[in-house]
Amino acid sequence: MSVALIWAEAHDRIIGADGGIPWRLPEDMRHFRAQTSGSPVVMGRRTWDSLPERFRPLPGRTNIVVTRRADWAAPGAEVAHSVEDALAAAGDADTVWVMGGAQLYTAALPLADRVEVTEVDLAVDGDTRAPQLGDGWTAEHGEWLTSADGLRYRFVRYLR
Ligand code: NAP
């Protein structure tokens, strides 16, 4: 099984602010859907909470939510109490996608062989940052694109 992480980051690796994502980039949401459709997704409880109710569980994917709370439950969510349990719950999937947030990325990074990062060319305040990948990764940089709203972004794939 491949363990893949996927996130979008602004300048200074900002990925979140006040429990949400401080920009809107529909092109990246389409990219996220295309990458993850058909595969299990693993997320921290705070990221689950950040999804609008009408969007959760994310359709076409087993949604596995990691929490330390013994009594936590939500319709459409499979509950796991550690990253290792979450990966076990993903069964024999070819790829399991860790979709945030920062706590989950940090916990899953040692197990990951692939990271899909959308770099957003935006300076924005935030309170949550993506982890630094460290050495040993090979990067493939996509070309810079401009969204319909005028935001510059590019897709970068890291493999090891
Ligand atoms: P998070 O990683 O989504 O969730 C943290 C929660 O997960 C913890 O409070 C705990 O839940 C549970 N947890 C974490 N580690 C655990 C472990 N080892 N074992 C068991 N449970 C564990 O929270 P976050 O780091 O604050 O990230 C949320 C922010 O990131 C939001 O702003 C969100 O919008 C943003 N985000 C951005 C992107 C992006 O691509 N830009 C993607 C995803 C999320 P309990 O408290 O229930 O025990």
Side-chain angles (χ1 to χ4, degrees):
M1 177 195 286
S2 172
V3 177
L5 277 46
I6 183 164
W7 70 71
E9 64 176 38
H11 295 180
D12 298 328
R13 302 194 326 279
I14 290 290
I15 64 164
D18 293 330
I21 297 177
W23 60 83
R24 213 183 93 79
L25 186 51
E27 289 86 346
D28 184 52
M29 293 169 78
R30 283 197 287 278
H31 170 76
F32 172 82
R33 193 164 54 238
Q35 292 282 334
T36 61
S37 277
S39 299
V41 290
V42 173
M43 71 193 93
R45 194 265 312 156
R46 288 193 200 159
T47 292
W48 170 270
D49 283 347
S50 79
L51 300 174
E53 253 184 82
R54 65 184 186 284
F55 290 141
R56 65 188 198 209
L58 299 178
R61 288 151 282 191
T62 302
N63 287 220
I64 303 165
V65 179
V66 184
T67 175
R68 294 189 178 87
R69 299 180 187 178
D71 58 351
W72 189 89
E78 283 197 23
V79 181
H81 296 291
S82 67
V83 171
E84 290 73 16
D85 286 354
L87 298 182
D92 57 2
D94 288 343
T95 304
V96 57
W97 289 94
V98 178
M99 54 166 281
Q103 290 187 27
L104 263 287
Y105 295 137
T106 299
L109 185 56
L111 307 169
D113 55 16
R114 175 176 170 192
V115 183
E116 299 281 349
V117 178
T118 305
E119 293 182 356
V120 183
D121 185 15
L122 177 71
V124 66
D125 287 339
D127 52 28
T128 313
R129 282 188 167 75
Q132 267 169 327
L133 293 189
D135 296 333
W137 295 88
T138 304
E140 297 167 18
H141 293 85
E143 64 191 61
W144 283 102
L145 304 167
T146 303
S147 76
D149 295 339
L151 206 49
R152 267 168 35 97
Y153 65 100
R154 68 174 177 179
F155 300 120
V156 185
R157 170 174 295 155
Y158 296 90
L159 299 171
R160 70 176 173 191

